[in-house]
Amino acid sequence: MLRSGTETIRRPWVLGLTVAVMLLGTRSSAHEAPKAEAPKAEAPKAGAPKAGAPKAEAPKADGAKAEASKKEVSKQEAPISKEELVRLAKLNEKNCTKGDWEGCYKLGMAYAQGLGVAKDAARSASFHKKACDKGHLDACNGLGIAYAAGMGVKQDSKQALAIFEKTCNEKSAKGCFNVGLTYARGNGVTKDPARAATFYEKACTGGVATGCFSLGLAYADGNGVTKNPERAATLLTQACDAGDMNGCNILGHSYMSGIGVKEDMKRGAGLFEKACDAGLAGGCLNLGLAYQHGDGVEANQERATALFKKGCDFGFGPACDAHREASETP
């Protein structure tokens, strides 16, 4: 997120991205976590390409494909009934038994999230390992996350990193992101921002929006790379365009403050609105600040207060602080 919302000055956008990213207001997980989706009806044929190729995760560049991708995302995000989740879990189990490693992977995800089955971290890890042993890269990343967090297996940061590095070497962009995150956080290794940035770049190039976002923050702060606001803004734009709402939110701050881009408060407010509409509490707080100060939009204190409340309803403390202050102001 950008700010606490307690400032009374007119222009709350001038502190720079280093401070801005301290409170992202994000609900997303640090690791990539695929959503539930329908399984394949048949097991893959012998000699078929390995599942989990990063190309499937990369955003489409051309118009027709981009529109198709948007429609597919909408389908995946549509609510699935409990009965349908149970049916999918049973089908995935049947397919896994037949040697469909995609079915094993999806069954592992179902047990990890409690979708159609009782939540069971140990069973999740076992199904991910089964698929991973057969070369399913997404399943390997899931297994690495289990080792990193100690979910269903004994916590082992070194084993997690080894799995992430293996998937990255096999061209899994999500694996590269997870390696970068491991070095950024110092999970079982010495913190190494420069090495983290290298892997974030690989992830970004491979189509992982979070990789572009993380690399953008690195360039914004000069963390592991030479500070470069223009490069940061480019990467944040790439992340935002690929659906990373944190990228949209922080890019909005860039346009508000003219950091790395030409100042354009109207565009900044539009980016905050995009993030808020997608459920990012930080975007709601920042859009509220824009309405509170009349930056890029016509000043509207009632609208600002409503946006602060929306961010607060998501459980974001700074938005609650802003809502309380706005409500108390005569």
Side-chain angles (χ1 to χ4, degrees):
M1 222 359 269
L2 298 180
R3 301 285 297 212
S4 67
T6 58
E7 306 292 331
T8 57
I9 58 175
R10 173 171 168 74
R11 296 289 293 280
W13 317 108
V14 295
L15 289 186
L17 287 178
T18 302
V19 175
V21 299
M22 291 177 66
L23 296 171
L24 289 171
T26 176
R27 296 183 298 163
S28 63
S29 172
H31 293 283
E32 296 279 303
K35 294 181 174 62
E37 52 186 278
K40 296 176 182 177
E42 299 179 358
K45 297 179 181 179
K50 294 181 180 179
K55 290 182 180 179
E57 296 293 326
K60 305 295 187 299
D62 59 289
K65 290 184 178 180
E67 188 60 32
S69 178
K70 289 179 183 177
K71 291 180 179 179
E72 183 61 28
V73 169
S74 297
K75 289 179 183 178
Q76 292 179 6
E77 293 181 349
I80 302 177
S81 68
K82 182 178 180 180
E83 292 75 17
E84 178 65 6
L85 288 172
V86 171
R87 186 190 73 80
L88 291 177
K90 289 180 179 178
L91 183 56
N92 282 322
E93 185 170 15
K94 181 179 179 181
N95 288 343
C96 178
T97 302
K98 292 180 179 180
D100 178 0
W101 311 125
E102 177 75 1
C104 297
Y105 161 65
K106 289 178 178 177
L107 188 58
M109 291 303 304
Y111 276 109
Q113 300 174 24
L115 300 175
V117 292
K119 195 171 184 179
D120 189 327
R123 295 203 73 182
S124 172
S126 68
F127 282 111
H128 279 157
K129 184 178 188 306
K130 188 173 184 179
C132 178
D133 288 345
K134 295 299 181 178
H136 194 297
L137 298 184
D138 279 346
C140 292
N141 280 313
L143 183 61
I145 292 171
Y147 275 111
M151 297 186 301
V153 293
K154 184 178 179 180
Q155 198 277 336
D156 189 335
S157 298
K158 290 184 178 179
Q159 177 70 359
L161 179 59
I163 292 173
F164 294 148
E165 288 179 330
K166 180 178 182 294
T167 63
C168 181
N169 289 337
E170 293 185 23
K171 309 304 180 185
S172 166
K174 287 188 284 188
C176 295
F177 172 77
N178 287 329
V179 174
L181 189 65
T182 299
Y183 279 106
R185 292 182 171 179
N187 291 340
V189 294
T190 301
K191 281 188 177 183
D192 190 335
R195 197 164 188 180
T198 297
F199 283 99
Y200 285 153
E201 185 163 15
K202 289 182 179 181
C204 179
T205 301
V208 174
T210 315
C212 301
F213 171 69
S214 300
L215 186 59
L217 295 190
Y219 275 105
D221 294 344
N223 188 23
V225 293
T226 302
K227 189 171 183 177
N228 187 329
E230 290 76 19
R231 173 71 172 146
T234 298
L235 287 161
L236 291 171
T237 300
Q238 192 172 342
C240 178
D241 289 346
D244 188 298
M245 292 301 107
N246 282 317
C248 298
N249 192 28
I250 302 302
L251 183 62
H253 176 277
S254 297
Y255 277 104
M256 284 289 187
S257 58
I259 297 177
V261 292
K262 184 178 179 180
E263 183 181 291
D264 186 338
M265 290 193 168
K266 184 176 180 180
R267 187 169 184 181
L271 288 163
F272 293 152
E273 185 170 22
K274 180 178 180 179
C276 180
D277 287 346
L280 189 73
C284 299
L285 172 55
N286 285 321
L287 184 58
L289 288 172
Y291 274 104
Q292 187 178 63
H293 299 285
D295 288 339
V297 292
E298 185 176 347
N300 186 325
Q301 299 307 311
E302 184 177 344
R303 173 72 171 142
T305 302
L307 286 161
F308 294 150
K309 184 179 185 303
K310 184 175 181 179
C312 182
D313 288 344
F314 285 132
F316 189 47
C320 296
D321 293 339
H323 179 254
R324 182 167 51 252
E325 181 179 311
S327 299
E328 293 172 354
T329 302

